[in-house]
């Protein structure tokens, strides 16, 4: 039996769940239209009134670690719904065709590597892969830009890169506006990609080029999903601390064959991964010493080698 106090407490909780700016009963992934509802590209100040900004402002006000039980429950229910929506997504798309690209959020649109990632992602998407990233700026945006431009000509893709170059960094005014300009000019109705951002890094805007967005409050859940869902392999491009974390977390999953098999770990950028951030020789040494097993490692500067390794893995998986 519930006491009047219990009922009153339950009513307060239910009232709180209805008051938050996000849907605790959400059953689908987000799209750019959802997250940026209320944003008008011609009016930069409207960004502060869009849904994503409202949720982030609420997130900061209620604590990165929720200050109350009610808020903690609300975020948990939301993230549970997003997780279920991901399950539905992969009921329609083969996990082993899902390929992740990891790399730095600070990578500028004018950087040579940004263009390389975009072109590689475009080609892989056209080959039937579903591209996945952390859903933010930098290398993540390049991943989804490439997928968005799948089916368009090379000239159109280069024009898109030129349009975006007016705001190289996500900190620049015009970063989001120029993205929406590209999306209007080159609509995408056939190919898809999956971004998995988090409000923990809400100061980094989610790239609108991802057609499906699984945005979480809990970054630990988000990080695990990024690495777990990229069954087709992960391409590592130059990054910093976050990318390092992802490399070794991925290596553990592959070492233990956590999902019954190991997926390719492909490092794009030989000089970076052997000299500037010498992770690759470290992994090779740990493999030779028997500290790691089952790692499918590739180091290259050639996007064609990346594609060949992914295709070989996909073909072997289909036998």
């Amino acid at each position: 039996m519930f006491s009047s106090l219990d009922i009153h407490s339950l009513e307060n909780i239910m009232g709180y769940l209805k008051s938050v700016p996000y849907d605790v009963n959400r059953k689908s992934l987000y799209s750019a239209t959802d997250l940026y509802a209320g944003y008008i590209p011609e009016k930069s100040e409207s960004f502060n009134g869009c849904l994503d900004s409202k949720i982030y402002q609420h997130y900061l006000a209620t604590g990165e670690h929720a200050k109350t039980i009610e808020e903690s429950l609300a975020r948990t229910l939301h993230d549970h719904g997003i997780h279920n929506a991901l399950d539905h997504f992969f009921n329609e798309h083969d996990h082993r065709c899902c390929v992740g690209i990891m790399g730095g959020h600070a990578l500028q649109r004018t950087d040579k590597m940004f263009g390389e990632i975009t072109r590689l992602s475009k080609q892989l998407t056209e080959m039937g892969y579903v591209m996945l990233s952390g859903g933010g700026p930098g290398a993540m945006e390049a991943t989804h830009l490439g997928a968005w431009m799948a089916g368009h000509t090379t000239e159109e893709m280069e024009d898109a890169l030129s349009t975006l170059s007016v705001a190289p960094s996500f900190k620049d005014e015009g970063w989001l506006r120029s993205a929406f300009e590209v999306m209007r000019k080159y609509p995408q109705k056939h190919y898809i990609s999956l971004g998995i951002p988090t409000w923990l890094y809400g100061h980094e805007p989610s790239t609108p080029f991802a057609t499906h967005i699984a945005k979480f409050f809990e970054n630990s859940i988000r990080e695990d999903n990024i690495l777990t869902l990229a069954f087709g392999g992960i391409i590592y491009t130059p990054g910093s601390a976050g990318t390092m974390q992802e490399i070794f977390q991925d290596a553990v999953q592959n070492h233990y064959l956590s999902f019954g098999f190991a997926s390719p770990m492909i490092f794009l950028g030989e000089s970076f991964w052997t000299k500037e951030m010498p992770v690759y020789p470290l992994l090779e040494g740990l493999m030779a010493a028997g500290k790691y097993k089952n790692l499918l490692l590739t180091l290259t500067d050639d996007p064609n080698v990346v594609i060949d390794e992914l295709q070989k893995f996909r073909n072997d998986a289909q036998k």
Side-chain angles (χ1 to χ4, degrees):
M1 295 291 292
F2 288 103
S3 69
S4 59
L5 185 61
D6 292 332
I7 294 173
H8 179 69
S9 178
L10 184 59
E11 288 175 344
N12 286 340
I13 291 173
M14 295 303 294
Y16 186 87
L17 296 181
K18 293 177 181 179
S19 72
V20 296
Y22 51 90
D23 184 1
V24 300
N25 294 311
R26 189 168 185 89
K27 294 179 172 58
S28 63
L29 300 177
Y30 291 100
S31 67
T33 301
D34 296 327
L35 283 180
Y36 290 113
Y39 170 68
I40 302 171
E42 295 75 22
K43 298 180 179 179
S44 59
E45 67 276 10
S46 65
F47 174 75
N48 292 326
C50 74
L51 177 64
D52 192 49
S53 291
K54 289 178 179 177
I55 295 175
Y56 182 52
Q57 291 159 13
H58 173 84
Y59 174 76
L60 294 177
T62 54
E64 291 184 358
H65 298 287
K67 299 175 182 177
T68 66
I69 293 175
E70 291 83 359
E71 178 63 23
S72 179
L73 176 60
R75 295 180 188 180
T76 299
L77 289 171
H78 170 276
D79 285 2
H80 176 71
I82 294 296
H83 189 81
N84 285 340
L86 279 172
D87 287 341
H88 292 307
F89 179 88
F90 282 105
N91 285 336
E92 300 177 6
H93 305 285
D94 185 353
H95 279 74
R96 297 204 186 195
C97 289
C98 187
V99 171
I101 295 185
M102 308 300 161
H105 68 276
L107 180 69
Q108 300 213 345
R109 290 166 162 177
T110 50
D111 193 288
K112 179 182 176 182
M113 180 59 73
F114 189 95
E116 288 185 15
I117 295 170
T118 299
R119 298 178 188 97
L120 175 60
S121 181
K122 179 180 187 294
Q123 188 171 351
L124 288 170
T125 301
E126 291 170 344
M127 294 170 65
Y129 289 98
V130 174
M131 303 308 296
L132 177 154
S133 88
M140 295 172 281
E141 183 191 32
T143 301
H144 297 289
L145 171 62
W148 184 271
M149 295 306 296
H152 292 283
T153 67
T154 299
E155 291 74 20
E156 289 172 330
M157 183 189 66
E158 295 302 326
D159 179 62
L161 286 168
S162 177
T163 299
L164 296 176
S165 68
V166 299
S169 167
F170 72 91
K171 298 178 182 179
D172 295 331
E173 183 177 353
W175 183 88
L176 188 59
R177 181 180 68 247
S178 58
F180 275 94
E181 181 180 343
V182 168
M183 294 168 70
R184 284 197 304 266
K185 190 173 183 179
Y186 301 112
Q188 178 58 262
K189 296 182 180 179
H190 179 66
Y191 295 98
I192 64 169
S193 66
L194 175 63
I196 309 183
T198 173
W199 279 288
L200 178 64
Y201 302 134
H203 61 287
E204 300 176 6
S206 301
T207 173
F209 290 114
T211 59
H212 294 72
I213 303 172
K215 193 155 189 175
F216 287 93
F217 286 105
E218 284 294 334
N219 186 50
S220 57
I221 297 174
R222 171 250 190 180
E223 285 282 0
D224 185 68
N225 271 295
I226 292 173
L227 299 172
T228 298
L229 296 174
F231 281 10
I234 295 179
I235 303 161
Y236 291 100
T237 65
S240 55
T243 307
M244 298 303 107
Q245 174 186 330
E246 289 158 351
I247 289 170
F248 289 101
Q249 191 172 341
D250 186 28
V252 169
Q253 289 184 356
N254 287 320
H255 170 80
Y256 287 111
L257 302 177
S258 300
F259 304 100
F261 58 90
S263 300
M265 298 177 68
I266 303 173
F267 293 79
L268 183 61
E270 290 191 28
S271 178
F272 181 85
W273 292 118
T274 58
K275 297 176 182 178
E276 187 172 342
M277 193 77 73
V279 173
Y280 195 84
L282 172 62
L283 290 174
E284 283 189 314
L286 291 171
M287 282 274 288
K291 302 298 183 182
Y292 274 127
K293 299 178 181 179
N294 307 314
L295 303 191
L296 305 178
L297 301 175
T298 301
L299 174 67
T300 185
D301 285 322
D302 187 350
N304 291 317
V305 172
V306 174
I307 292 170
D308 288 345
E309 290 298 320
L310 293 174
Q311 280 287 83
K312 178 183 176 183
F313 177 74
R314 183 163 76 171
N315 292 338
D316 289 345
Q318 293 172 345
K319 291 180 181 178

